[in-house]
Amino acid sequence: NNPQDLYVSQLKLNNSTINSDSAGVYLSNSDAKISGSKINANKIFGVRTTGGNLSLAQSAEINSTGSAVGLSVTTNSRSTNTGQRLSNINISDTQITAEKNAALAVSSDVIAKIKTWSKTVLSSGGQQAVTIAKNADVQMQMDNSQIRGDVSIEKGGKLDLNLLNKTLFMGAAQNIDTLSVSSDSHWDMTDNSFIGSLNNIGGRITFSPSSIA
């Protein structure tokens, strides 16, 4: 089947502002494009996507305060259709900020392909900027982007993270399967980290004072 047949809705949100005291935008098996828009949410999430395609671009912002997650990626775990469990996420020139929770949180059983570029920033005022739950399988490529905060994967989860073209990762890495630091990218390790495979290909890895016992 054509993958497009799996998407039950389409959304185009341009140059808009959404304010919510709980949840911002919820997408289910959608083909969604959010450009130049600001989404402000408290308590639950800024944007939640369950399968489908999501594009964030052109100075889009997700601002989550309180306990809210910035971008939440979930799945209908009852589905046996891989296409309905797969999320394709493309993020360009976008700021995703969470006050206390993760900027990006991927739930159990999700299959996700995530690409960021053009000065995208994932930032958390708490400790963890990116979290991957058990049984999730995530491929993440970051090009000229930033992660400000830790990246943490639960036991049974999987993350392959590729840092390209002056990407900055400022934080610790917990249980990442593969981390590649290339093309003048920089990992500033802020605490003890655990990685299955570390590939440094033209990148830079430094250790901040807080990571040295």
Side-chain angles (χ1 to χ4, degrees), residues 30-48:
S30 300
D31 188 6
K33 295 179 174 63
I34 299 174
S35 300
S37 297
K38 294 183 180 181
I39 300 168
N40 305 307
N42 191 19
K43 297 180 182 177
I44 304 178
F45 57 79
V47 174
R48 173 171 289 171

Side-chain angles (χ1 to χ4, degrees), residues 13-196:
L13 185 67
N14 299 318
N15 302 317
S16 302
T17 299
I18 295 175
N19 297 311
S20 173
D21 191 44
S22 56
V25 176
Y26 176 60
L27 305 164
S28 180
N29 291 328
S30 300
D31 188 6
K33 295 179 174 63
I34 299 174
S35 300
S37 297
K38 294 183 180 181
I39 300 168
N40 305 307
N42 191 19
K43 297 180 182 177
I44 304 178
F45 57 79
V47 174
R48 173 171 289 171
T49 181
T50 302
N53 288 336
L54 171 62
S55 172
L56 295 160
Q58 296 179 359
S59 300
E61 293 183 17
I62 301 174
N63 301 304
S64 297
T65 56
S67 58
V69 169
L71 173 58
S72 169
V73 186
T74 65
T75 187
N76 180 357
S77 60
R78 294 173 297 178
S79 174
T80 58
N81 189 317
T82 299
Q84 291 180 341
R85 293 176 57 201
L86 174 64
S87 289
N88 292 300
I89 301 172
N90 294 294
I91 309 173
S92 171
D93 186 25
T94 294
Q95 309 284 321
I96 302 178
T97 304
E99 182 181 30
K100 298 179 180 179
N101 214 323
L104 169 65
V106 180
S107 299
S108 298
D109 300 313
V110 165
I111 301 171
K113 295 181 179 179
I114 302 171
K115 292 184 179 181
T116 75
W117 66 95
S118 190
K119 299 182 180 180
T120 288
V121 178
L122 308 178
S123 177
S124 174
Q127 185 173 356
Q128 297 177 339
V130 178
T131 59
I132 310 294
K134 63 181 181 180
N135 300 325
D137 187 347
V138 181
Q139 297 177 19
M140 190 168 180
Q141 178 176 293
M142 304 192 71
D143 187 322
N144 192 21
S145 301
Q146 294 184 20
I147 300 176
R148 293 185 172 272
D150 293 353
V151 176
S152 180
I153 295 85
E154 289 185 0
K155 185 177 181 180
K158 180 180 179 182
L159 172 64
D160 293 329
L161 177 60
N162 191 6
L163 310 181
L164 298 169
N165 297 325
K166 299 183 180 180
T167 290
L168 171 64
F169 170 23
M170 184 180 295
Q174 303 299 330
N175 303 319
I176 292 180
D177 285 77
T178 303
L179 174 60
S180 299
V181 185
S182 58
S183 305
D184 297 321
S185 293
H186 180 197
W187 176 23
D188 182 11
M189 190 189 307
T190 59
D191 206 341
N192 295 330
S193 296
F194 302 91
I195 299 170

